[in-house]
């Protein structure tokens, strides 16, 4: 029996200036802007999404689609999603996210 694999939703990287970085990605790659404000931007590529975040708002991370049933505390976001952060054994952040 084949186990269903988890799906990576997005990767988040730190940038120094959201608008400048957003413009750079839009000019240099075939992607589209999903959302942006002064604290983060969300870009859609053909195969996944990229979040541009500031270091005082979000940690760099990657996000996996999850049902969040195992998570005791979750956070609701302005886009209607819900998530929880966990760390792997090397202290890398993983966002478990449900839409």
């Amino acid at each position: 029996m084949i186990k269903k694999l988890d799906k990576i939703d997005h990767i988040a990287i730190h940038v120094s200036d959201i608008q400048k970085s957003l413009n750079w990605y839009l000019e240099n790659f075939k992607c589209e802007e999903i959302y942006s404000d002064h604290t983060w931007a969300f870009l859609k590529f053909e195969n996944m999404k990229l979040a541009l975040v500031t270091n005082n708002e979000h940690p760099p991370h990657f996000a996996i689609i999850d049902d969040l049933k195992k998570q005791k505390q979750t956070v609701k976001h302005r886009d209607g999603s819900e998530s929880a952060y966990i760390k792997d054994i090397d202290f890398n952040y993983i966002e478990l996210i449900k839409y």
Side-chain angles (χ1 to χ4, degrees):
M1 175 177 256
I2 297 175
K3 180 182 173 188
K4 180 183 171 225
L5 299 175
D6 289 324
K7 181 180 176 187
I8 292 179
D9 182 66
H10 67 269
I11 295 172
I13 60 172
H14 275 169
V15 297
S16 58
D17 184 295
I18 296 293
Q19 193 60 52
K20 283 182 183 178
S21 293
L22 174 63
N23 291 340
W24 187 87
Y25 276 92
L26 291 172
E27 290 170 8
N28 288 283
F29 297 99
K30 293 178 184 172
C31 59
E32 61 186 65
E33 179 182 341
I34 297 171
Y35 176 85
S36 68
D37 64 25
H38 68 284
T39 65
W40 69 288
F42 217 23
L43 297 166
K44 181 171 178 44
F45 288 78
E46 182 179 345
N47 60 336
M48 75 172 6
K49 294 173 273 189
L50 175 67
L52 308 175
V53 298
T54 57
N55 64 1
N56 58 343
E57 289 286 328
H58 306 276
H61 64 273
F62 69 96
I64 296 175
I65 302 290
D66 190 80
D67 62 13
L68 300 177
K69 289 179 182 175
K70 296 178 186 172
Q71 304 307 312
K72 293 181 177 125
Q73 291 186 325
T74 63
V75 175
K76 296 209 185 263
H77 301 286
R78 55 189 142 199
D79 66 356
S81 65
E82 186 177 359
S83 72
Y85 283 101
I86 63 171
K87 291 182 183 178
D88 68 14
I89 61 172
D90 294 304
F91 304 103
N92 296 298
Y93 281 97
I94 302 167
E95 180 182 23
L96 304 175
I97 191 163
K98 178 174 87 173
Y99 290 96

